[in-house]
Amino acid sequence: MKSGKLLHFKNLKQYRDETNATIDTNYFSIALKNMKDGFAERFEQFKTNKSTLAFIVNPLNTSTNEINIEPFGIDAGSLQMQLLDLKTNDLWSGKFTELKSKLEELEEQKCMHIAQHKWTALKEIPRVEALIFAARNSLPECYSEVKKLAYGVLTICGSTYSCEQAFSCMNMIKSKVRSQLTNKNLESCLKLKTSYKPDLIKLSKGMQSQCSH
């Protein structure tokens, strides 16, 4: 966009070429930067916990010092010993090498189907989480803390219901006529809509009743 060539904005380029219009690329560059910064701020937690999320797929190259185990009730010492044993055991570590290869194959299939617009075939591809669960379930109970951490991370996104509900509420709150809401105000509104439960009895006791005349 900054170069003015519009290589990745075909419709805008076509409009400029057909009408000889002057495109303010600086305006669009600033808008794109603001959008990028907004996404980075909104999903900052995913970035800071990148190693924790990567653990479920590739535990062999993950250091326990980089993993946030606090929310899952994991014993740090046991996890370190189990992970060390897992990395040196060819039988069980091979499960994750195989898993990585399968996930790479899935991504190649997805890219191929998307490029060919084969949307029905795309739905028939095995789900990523199913492969991850299969690899974790194959581990014996001597790796209990490793499995517990993986299941804990997976269950964060295990159900899309809460996520879909939050997005539906967000779309109602941040409508076209309220598009300038800040992230902080939007978050407060979402909390009121999705998780706030007022104590109506306590509130009613604190109100002065109005008798009809």
Side-chain angles (χ1 to χ4, degrees), residues 42-201:
R42 186 66 58 84
F43 299 102
E44 183 179 3
Q45 288 185 338
F46 287 94
K47 185 177 181 180
T48 55
N49 291 285
K50 186 177 180 180
S51 296
T52 307
L53 297 173
F55 175 81
I56 61 175
V57 176
N58 193 14
L60 304 179
N61 294 329
T62 305
S63 171
T64 53
N65 296 327
E66 301 173 349
I67 303 174
N68 182 15
I69 64 174
E70 185 178 352
F72 308 107
I74 304 294
D75 182 83
S78 298
L79 177 65
Q80 288 181 350
M81 294 303 295
Q82 292 178 17
L83 191 57
L84 179 63
D85 183 74
L86 179 65
K87 291 179 179 180
T88 56
N89 191 315
D90 293 338
L91 175 62
W92 302 116
S93 63
K95 293 286 184 179
F96 295 97
T97 303
E98 182 182 355
L99 173 63
K100 185 178 179 182
S101 298
K102 288 181 179 179
L103 295 178
E104 289 175 353
E105 291 177 5
L106 284 185
E107 287 301 315
E108 290 178 0
Q109 292 179 26
K110 288 180 181 179
C111 292
M112 181 182 66
H113 291 327
I114 291 173
Q116 298 175 359
H117 303 287
K118 295 182 178 180
W119 311 117
T120 303
L122 190 64
K123 295 180 180 179
E124 297 174 356
I125 292 179
R127 296 176 65 87
V128 171
E129 55 267 34
L131 295 178
I132 296 175
F133 268 114
R136 293 291 175 176
N137 287 333
S138 66
L139 293 178
E141 284 305 312
C142 60
Y143 299 113
S144 58
E145 294 301 294
V146 174
K147 296 173 70 172
K148 184 179 179 180
L149 176 58
Y151 294 149
V153 175
L154 284 169
T155 51
I156 293 176
C157 303
S159 174
T160 61
Y161 170 75
S162 298
C163 188
E164 291 174 357
Q165 182 189 42
F167 271 111
S168 296
C169 294
M170 185 180 69
N171 288 334
M172 288 187 289
I173 295 169
K174 197 169 184 178
S175 62
K176 292 181 179 179
V177 295
R178 302 179 71 192
S179 60
Q180 299 301 313
L181 279 176
T182 63
N183 288 340
K184 184 176 181 180
N185 288 338
L186 178 59
E187 182 179 355
S188 299
C189 291
L190 279 172
K191 285 182 178 179
L192 288 172
K193 179 65 177 177
T194 59
S195 60
Y196 177 68
K197 295 182 179 180
D199 188 342
L200 297 178
I201 296 177

Side-chain angles (χ1 to χ4, degrees), residues 1-16:
M1 179 60 73
K2 287 183 178 180
S3 66
K5 296 180 180 180
L6 304 179
L7 297 177
H8 303 287
F9 302 89
K10 296 181 179 179
N11 292 336
L12 189 59
K13 184 177 183 299
Q14 181 181 356
Y15 169 77
R16 184 187 64 181

Side-chain angles (χ1 to χ4, degrees), residues 208-213:
Q208 182 178 358
S209 59
Q210 297 289 337
C211 300
S212 57
H213 296 285

